[in-house]
Amino acid sequence: MSVRSDAPLAIVGAMQEELAALLAAMPDARPETLAGRQFWRGHLEGRPVVVVLSRIGKVAAATTATVLLAHHGVRAVLFTGVAGGLAEGVAVGDVVVARDLLQHDMDASPLFPRHEVPLTGMTRFPADAALANALAAAAQDVLAELPAHLPADVQAEFAMTKARLHRGLIVSGDRFVATAAESARLRADLPDALAVEMEGAAVAQVCHDWGVPFAAVRTISDRADDAAHADFGRFVGRVASPFSAAIVRRTLTRL
Ligand code: SAH
């Protein structure tokens, strides 16, 4: 598919609060409703963008991505949100930029290898390297400038001064992983998975079908263990949303 270079960049967010933070910086944003989703077209950091809430889960996110790609002619898709940390050392407050994405609950074996998306021959959907590099560089900048983005009490509460950037595999499935037993199972099945969430690999698959570059960044909101639910709401409101919005804005200035 050829896409004009002045075509908008899509920003697909999984969090209402983050979307609100981005829309506040887009005074010219105008919504268009399709399939029950609001697609906000406007400018962010001087760049044309379309911003939309993914909704939760693979089907909801794939539908959002399909409508976005079919109706908005975007040149690339950036996905942002929160995720549970899986690999050792991926802590709450850390940032993960996807190198590739996999659906951990896809299993059509023995007809197809476990985790392979039937009829695609693919298990892992790679992120666009240039976009992922831009996201990682922006995340690194934002992590280095934390004081400008978060109040000191919030940084202390979540030990954000130790926050790090990781790059690698993100896995997605239609489950909020909230027990130590389930995250241990995922780690055993997919030892190189850094983080688990519920949308990324679905959007990556849709973008692959359309030939549109895709990249994803997630702030770690919980460790996908028995404390996951308790951690979640507070972290999303106080830390993850302003943080993700800052990373997206910084990424745009690098493209
Ligand atoms: N916003 C809802 C719940 C969201 S579900 C609430 O008010 O509680 C969790 C969202 O965060 C999904 O979009 C998913 O992609 C991501 N996520 C964060 N931690 C996760 C985990 N441990 N397992 C799966 N998804 C997780």
Side-chain angles (χ1 to χ4, degrees), residues 113-165:
R114 187 168 180 206
H115 299 138
E116 183 171 306
V117 177
L119 311 182
T120 66
M122 290 179 74
T123 300
R124 296 175 182 226
F125 288 81
D128 179 80
L131 266 186
N133 285 342
L135 271 179
Q140 202 70 274
D141 285 354
V142 172
L143 284 169
E145 295 163 10
L146 263 186
H149 298 285
L150 295 174
D153 62 321
V154 174
Q155 288 182 50
E157 179 181 344
F158 293 101
M160 290 294 291
T161 48
K162 298 201 189 79
R164 294 173 48 206
L165 171 69

Side-chain angles (χ1 to χ4, degrees), residues 224-248:
D225 57 12
D226 303 281
H229 193 66
D231 293 341
F232 191 75
R234 190 170 157 69
F235 183 83
V236 169
R238 300 297 305 274
V239 182
S241 297
F243 210 50
S244 302
I247 293 172
V248 166

Side-chain angles (χ1 to χ4, degrees), residues 56 82-84 175-177 196-199 218 221-222 224 232:
I56 295 170
V82 289
R175 298 181 58 80
F176 184 73
V177 179
V196 59
E197 38 85 317
M198 302 176 70
E199 300 84 15
R218 294 273 182 168
S221 55
D222 55 81
F232 191 75

Side-chain angles (χ1 to χ4, degrees), residues 42-169:
H43 289 79
L44 193 59
E45 304 295 345
R47 271 72 167 177
V49 294
V50 184
V51 175
V52 64
L53 190 69
S54 66
R55 301 206 177 178
I56 295 170
K58 291 185 301 171
V59 172
T63 301
T64 304
T66 303
V67 174
L68 173 70
L69 293 172
H71 291 274
H72 288 278
V74 298
R75 68 184 167 99
V77 175
L78 286 185
F79 195 101
T80 74
V82 289
L86 272 186
E88 207 181 314
V90 179
V92 171
D94 286 2
V95 175
V96 177
V97 171
R99 190 165 290 135
D100 40 19
L101 301 101
L102 167 154
Q103 296 177 35
H104 68 75
D105 55 356
M106 173 59 76
D107 186 359
S109 60
L111 304 177
F112 297 91
R114 187 168 180 206
H115 299 138
E116 183 171 306
V117 177
L119 311 182
T120 66
M122 290 179 74
T123 300
R124 296 175 182 226
F125 288 81
D128 179 80
L131 266 186
N133 285 342
L135 271 179
Q140 202 70 274
D141 285 354
V142 172
L143 284 169
E145 295 163 10
L146 263 186
H149 298 285
L150 295 174
D153 62 321
V154 174
Q155 288 182 50
E157 179 181 344
F158 293 101
M160 290 294 291
T161 48
K162 298 201 189 79
R164 294 173 48 206
L165 171 69
H166 309 265
R167 302 182 68 173
L169 177 66

